[in-house]
């Protein structure tokens, strides 16, 4: 299964990916997670990306494209992968298309998680992640278990200001690439509103159908 999870910030891409990868036995490749790891390690890539991410802007295509093309060429992607947060611009979509074509493979599905802008700020500002495991929680919608308060961290771009910028970028750069996947007949639109279990069931039904 070669698939993409696409959707606005806070749509639940990371939450659903964590639930789905075991089912399909494929790696979860989140460009946001890869970039945050690079920032944490202080690599050249991380230094280049940090300022863009903090402001809710997109990291330049030339940085992200090479990172992903290299990643999906690894052995663990031979049977497939779940991309989360890539592609999010037209050049990224074209580069992925070229790389897959050159490898003689193609995408099976693109799942679009649909959540209205009005719900996004609350999802983003209430998010907390476990510093060691990366597990995603929400103070109201998916409360962390008691006793791990000192292990919870908030992303630097989970401010209201950066969230507005991220939403703008989603609408101007990422939403326009969605019709391309529609034209290939592999787009699956899924309502991302409701309990995470309900959304998961919808995604699985969409992938099975
Ligand atoms: P990235 O990390 O990809 O962030 P994003 O796209 O803004 O998406 P999020 O991770 O914020 O949301 P999500 O959809 O994963 O939601 P989650 O499951 O966590 O990118 C960050 C930055 O990196 C970008 O802004 C950019 O700078 C850079 N970048 C990354 N990829 C790039 C690329 N390809 N090109 C250029 N730059 C790139 O859920 C959110 C919250 O909601 C959680 O608290 C969760 O518990 C809760 N929640 C989840 N599901 C539900 C539900 N059903 N109901 C209620 N609450 C829910
Ligand atoms: Mg995410």
């Amino acid at each position: 299964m070669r698939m993409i999870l696409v959707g606005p910030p806070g749509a639940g891409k990371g939450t659903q990916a964590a639930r789905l990868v075991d089912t399909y036995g494929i790696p979860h490749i989140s460009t946001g997670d890869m970039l945050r790891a690079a920032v944490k390690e202080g690599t050249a890539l991380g230094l280049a990306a940090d300022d863009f991410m903090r402001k809710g802007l997109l990291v330049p295509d030339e940085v992200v494209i090479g990172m992903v093309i290299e990643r999906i060429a690894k052995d663990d992607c031979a049977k497939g992968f779940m991309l989360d947060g890539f592609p999010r611009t037209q050049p990224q979509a074209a580069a992925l298309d070229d790389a897959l074509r050159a490898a003689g493979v193609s995408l099976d599905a693109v799942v679009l998680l649909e959540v209205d802008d009005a719900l996004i700020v609350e999802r983003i500002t209430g998010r907390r992640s476990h510093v060691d495991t990366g597990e995603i929680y929400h103070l109201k919608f998916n409360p962390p278990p008691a006793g791990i308060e000192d292990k919870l961290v908030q992303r630097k771009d989970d401010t209201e200001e950066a969230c507005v910028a991220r939403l703008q970028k989603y609408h101007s750069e990422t939403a326009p690439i969605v019709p391309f996947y529609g034209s290939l007949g592999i787009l699956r639109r899924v309502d991302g509103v409701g309990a995470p279990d309900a959304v998961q069931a919808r995604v699985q039904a969409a992938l099975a159908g």
Side-chain angles (χ1 to χ4, degrees):
M1 165 79 81
R2 292 181 184 83
M3 62 169 289
I4 298 173
L5 274 174
V6 64
K13 302 182 292 295
T15 299
Q16 293 302 325
R19 290 159 168 254
L20 292 166
V21 281
D22 288 343
T23 311
Y24 296 102
I26 49 177
H28 169 207
I29 301 174
S30 156
T31 42
D33 288 349
M34 291 170 86
L35 291 166
R36 278 184 291 279
V39 170
K40 205 168 168 184
E41 286 163 22
T43 63
L45 178 86
L47 291 175
D50 192 24
D51 200 41
F52 292 102
M53 295 175 77
R54 210 183 275 267
K55 292 178 180 150
L57 303 176
L58 294 178
V59 175
D61 286 335
E62 56 272 25
V63 175
V64 182
I65 289 172
M67 184 178 88
V68 173
I69 301 303
E70 207 175 284
R71 179 66 188 87
I72 62 174
K74 290 197 191 293
D75 289 348
D76 65 337
C77 293
K79 290 197 180 132
F81 49 74
M82 184 174 297
L83 287 173
D84 157 3
F86 183 96
R88 3 164 46 113
T89 64
Q90 200 281 328
Q92 291 180 20
L96 178 64
D97 201 44
D98 288 347
L100 294 177
R101 201 182 304 257
V105 296
S106 55
L107 289 169
D108 297 298
V110 175
V111 172
L112 172 63
L113 283 177
E114 298 183 299
V115 177
D116 270 357
D117 286 10
L119 299 175
I120 296 294
V121 174
E122 189 180 15
R123 282 200 186 187
I124 290 286
T125 53
R127 171 168 47 198
R128 299 292 183 275
S129 315
H130 193 286
V131 68
D132 301 324
T133 65
E135 179 90 18
I136 302 166
Y137 298 101
H138 190 282
L139 295 178
K140 182 167 154 192
F141 303 128
N142 180 22
I148 65 162
E149 292 76 9
D150 59 337
K151 289 281 184 188
L152 296 176
V153 288
Q154 188 168 17
R155 272 169 46 176
K156 287 178 206 153
D157 60 346
D158 276 354
T159 61
E160 201 166 329
E161 194 187 3
C163 178
V164 169
R166 286 158 62 195
L167 265 175
Q168 277 171 356
K169 283 288 169 200
Y170 174 76
H171 289 295
S172 64
E173 306 280 334
T174 308
I177 67 174
V178 170
F180 168 65
Y181 297 111
S183 74
L184 297 180
I186 55 171
L187 180 66
R188 308 279 178 264
R189 291 177 181 273
V190 172
D191 181 3
V193 182
D197 282 349
V199 176
Q200 182 184 351
R202 284 178 213 145
V203 173
Q204 281 174 323
L207 288 172

